[in-house]
Amino acid sequence: MEIESLLKYISRHIDLSEQEVSIVSEHVKIREYLKGQFIVQQGDVCKYESYVISGCAKTFFVDQEGNEHLVMFAIENWWTADLGSFITQQPADYNVQCLEKTKVAQFSHESLEQLYVKIPKLERFFRIIIQNAFVASQKRIVRNLSLTAKERYRIFREQYPDIEQRVPQYLIASYLGITKQFLSKVRAELLTGN
Amino acid sequence: MEIESLLKYISRHIDLSEQEVSIVSEHVKIREYLKGQFIVQQGDVCKYESYVISGCAKTFFVDQEGNEHLVMFAIENWWTADLGSFITQQPADYNVQCLEKTKVAQFSHESLEQLYVKIPKLERFFRIIIQNAFVASQKRIVRNLSLTAKERYRIFREQYPDIEQRVPQYLIASYLGITKQFLSKVRAELLTGN
DNA sequence: AGATGTTGTTAATCTAGTTTAACCTCCTTT
DNA sequence: AAAGGAGGTTAAACTAGATTAACAACATCT
């Protein structure tokens, strides 16, 4: 079953008994989105924390001039949501849109709160997951402050070769905080003369 | 006692019994640093997660050219550490240095792991704290991608008026990702003509 | 009182990255 | 096969912000 992927992922950080596994399974909804569909839309309340079983999604913010800014990507075994909206149940700042047909395992806010009560170990699980996400987020800030666009692109390719292959370059440019034209120039330099 | 500040802060998110309060207290060390002293140094393992009781500290990264980049500030009721180093117990990427005489409540890695076992509710507490920190970190990324330096400075002043008063401007410039000279220009514009 | 260090300002010159616009290459649809 | 659309490239003109350098205003120390 598709939920195996999630259970395996959880078991990397905490141990669940058979009974706990079935409790988790009852509180999770499997859902598939088509390419282009939205898991979350700016302005709506983010209803789910979604674990990606297969496929790929982008989280992005649309500013007042209408420009998109890429907050993060999510591929297999990643989590995606507008976490700020999910935890406060206030309207979302970000959109999450599928770049491919994407299958996810979803926890609603209510389900998750119930799960925390029934299986307190899950607090630990999500603490660890979010701790790692926070550390990665801070690293990205530091890289944006201290590196040139070319260096950031080089690191991105090393760190996420799978994403680099899979998503259009103009989204990577947005993630790096540069225009697609400039990324194109940087790529040309990297391939030829460095 | 100084630890009251920490306990009050914890109680905003979870309830602790008297017994649990005394367990927490036993695992916390109160320590005072002088202005200029380091709570964490780049290259050392980060031994503590520190809750600021009073004072002010900066977390910064020194790049290969020797330039400092401000990762975050911490004032009263904030937490500070190199979290990546703390959780993995690997050498730290960042420095945490006190900008004033600073009193902190510290959890060692070992103490904290013991506390998680003795008081599982603390997993919830730290999950919530870190969730909020992560959301704030992502917002900062988005602002850095989508706003000009002037807008970022205006928001910083609104969001952290206390910090703005307290720390030198060149550190704020570094936090915003600009030079102190450019911040000076932005400030001149904000005060006069906008 | 003078010297030295820390913080902040102003101004000229320079550059990393943006903007605008044209064009190219694949796909997909009709 | 023609027509669109999505993704990518190139190049010229432009700008937000960096760099360099000089100086001013305070503290603090001797």
Side-chain angles (χ1 to χ4, degrees):
Chain A
M1 246 186 76
E2 294 112 342
I3 206 171
E4 286 307 322
S5 157
L6 169 61
L7 293 170
K8 194 173 153 195
Y9 179 86
I10 293 176
S11 72
R12 276 194 244 159
H13 295 103
I14 57 169
D15 289 319
L16 292 181
S17 69
E18 272 182 45
Q19 205 208 336
E20 288 167 337
V21 162
S22 72
I23 294 173
V24 169
S25 303
E26 281 162 24
H27 283 79
V28 166
K29 268 206 304 206
I30 303 293
R31 167 140 186 209
E32 194 166 86
Y33 292 90
L34 298 177
K35 179 173 173 172
Q37 287 189 314
F38 286 81
I39 301 178
V40 184
Q41 296 196 62
Q42 205 160 341
D44 292 351
V45 170
C46 174
K47 288 194 173 159
Y48 305 104
E49 243 183 89
S50 303
Y51 170 84
V52 178
I53 295 166
S54 65
C56 181
K58 62 173 176 177
T59 300
F60 65 101
F61 170 74
V62 180
D63 68 21
Q64 297 188 316
E65 283 90 50
N67 302 312
E68 283 193 16
H69 301 279
L70 241 123
V71 181
M72 58 175 280
F73 293 104
I75 57 173
E76 286 76 17
N77 307 319
W78 291 41
W79 293 84
T80 189
D82 180 328
L83 190 59
S85 169
F86 182 79
I87 62 188
T88 62
Q89 293 287 290
Q90 296 295 309
D93 294 325
Y94 309 136
N95 303 278
V96 180
Q97 187 179 20
C98 298
L99 298 171
E100 307 172 0
K101 190 161 82 170
T102 299
K103 193 174 285 176
V104 294
Q106 297 184 313
F107 293 92
S108 72
H109 191 258
E110 200 192 343
S111 283
L112 194 54
E113 287 300 329
Q114 286 170 11
L115 277 174
Y116 284 144
V117 174
K118 289 181 186 162
I119 312 174
K121 266 183 290 189
L122 286 175
E123 300 268 14
R124 179 178 181 82
F125 171 72
F126 281 105
R127 176 181 63 75
I128 292 169
I129 299 302
I130 292 166
Q131 238 173 21
N132 292 335
F134 174 69
V135 169
S137 178
Q138 292 222 130
K139 274 197 186 151
R140 184 170 165 207
I141 289 176
V142 170
R143 279 197 297 259
N144 285 347
L145 294 178
S146 61
L147 302 178
T148 63
K150 192 192 274 187
E151 290 169 316
R152 261 141 53 210
Y153 178 58
R154 210 169 6 78
I155 290 172
F156 181 86
R157 291 183 63 155
E158 280 169 27
Q159 198 172 13
Y160 307 117
D162 32 359
I163 295 178
E164 213 257 326
Q165 307 276 325
R166 212 158 155 180
V167 311
Q169 280 174 37
Y170 66 87
L171 293 181
I172 295 172
S174 175
Y175 179 89
L176 296 174
I178 58 178
T179 59
K180 59 191 183 200
Q181 293 89 333
F182 193 62
L183 177 56
S184 186
K185 193 175 172 185
V186 161
R187 279 166 55 83
E189 283 172 21
L190 272 185
L191 297 180
T192 63
N194 246 29
Chain B
M1 245 188 78
E2 295 111 343
I3 206 172
E4 286 307 324
S5 158
L6 169 62
L7 294 170
K8 195 174 153 194
Y9 178 86
I10 294 176
S11 72
R12 276 194 244 159
H13 296 102
I14 57 170
D15 289 319
L16 292 180
S17 68
E18 272 184 46
Q19 206 207 336
E20 287 167 337
V21 161
S22 73
I23 295 173
V24 169
S25 302
E26 281 162 24
H27 284 79
V28 166
K29 268 205 305 205
I30 303 292
R31 169 142 184 207
E32 193 166 88
Y33 292 89
L34 298 177
K35 179 174 173 170
Q37 287 189 314
F38 286 80
I39 301 178
V40 183
Q41 296 195 62
Q42 206 161 340
D44 291 352
V45 170
C46 175
K47 289 193 173 158
Y48 305 104
E49 243 181 270
S50 302
Y51 170 85
V52 178
I53 296 166
S54 65
C56 181
K58 62 173 177 178
T59 300
F60 65 101
F61 169 76
V62 180
D63 69 21
Q64 297 189 315
E65 283 88 51
N67 301 312
E68 283 193 16
H69 301 280
L70 242 125
V71 180
M72 58 175 279
F73 293 105
I75 57 173
E76 285 76 17
N77 307 318
W78 291 42
W79 293 83
T80 190
D82 180 326
L83 190 59
S85 168
F86 182 78
I87 64 189
T88 61
Q89 293 287 292
Q90 296 295 309
D93 294 325
Y94 309 136
N95 302 278
V96 179
Q97 187 179 20
C98 299
L99 299 171
E100 306 172 0
K101 190 161 82 171
T102 298
K103 193 175 286 177
V104 293
Q106 298 183 313
F107 294 91
S108 72
H109 190 260
E110 200 193 341
S111 283
L112 194 53
E113 288 300 329
Q114 287 170 12
L115 277 174
Y116 284 143
V117 174
K118 289 180 186 164
I119 313 176
K121 267 182 290 189
L122 286 175
E123 300 268 15
R124 178 177 183 83
F125 171 72
F126 280 105
R127 175 181 62 76
I128 292 169
I129 299 302
I130 291 166
Q131 239 172 20
N132 293 334
F134 174 69
V135 169
S137 178
Q138 292 223 130
K139 274 197 187 151
R140 184 170 165 206
I141 289 175
V142 170
R143 279 197 298 259
N144 285 347
L145 294 178
S146 62
L147 302 178
T148 62
K150 193 193 273 189
E151 290 170 316
R152 261 142 54 211
Y153 178 58
R154 211 170 3 79
I155 289 172
F156 181 86
R157 292 183 62 156
E158 280 169 26
Q159 198 173 14
Y160 307 116
D162 32 0
I163 296 179
E164 212 257 327
Q165 308 274 325
R166 212 158 154 181
V167 312
Q169 281 175 35
Y170 66 87
L171 294 181
I172 295 172
S174 175
Y175 179 89
L176 295 174
I178 58 177
T179 59
K180 61 189 183 200
Q181 293 89 331
F182 193 62
L183 177 57
S184 188
K185 194 175 170 184
V186 162
R187 278 167 55 81
E189 283 172 21
L190 273 184
L191 297 180
T192 62
N194 246 30

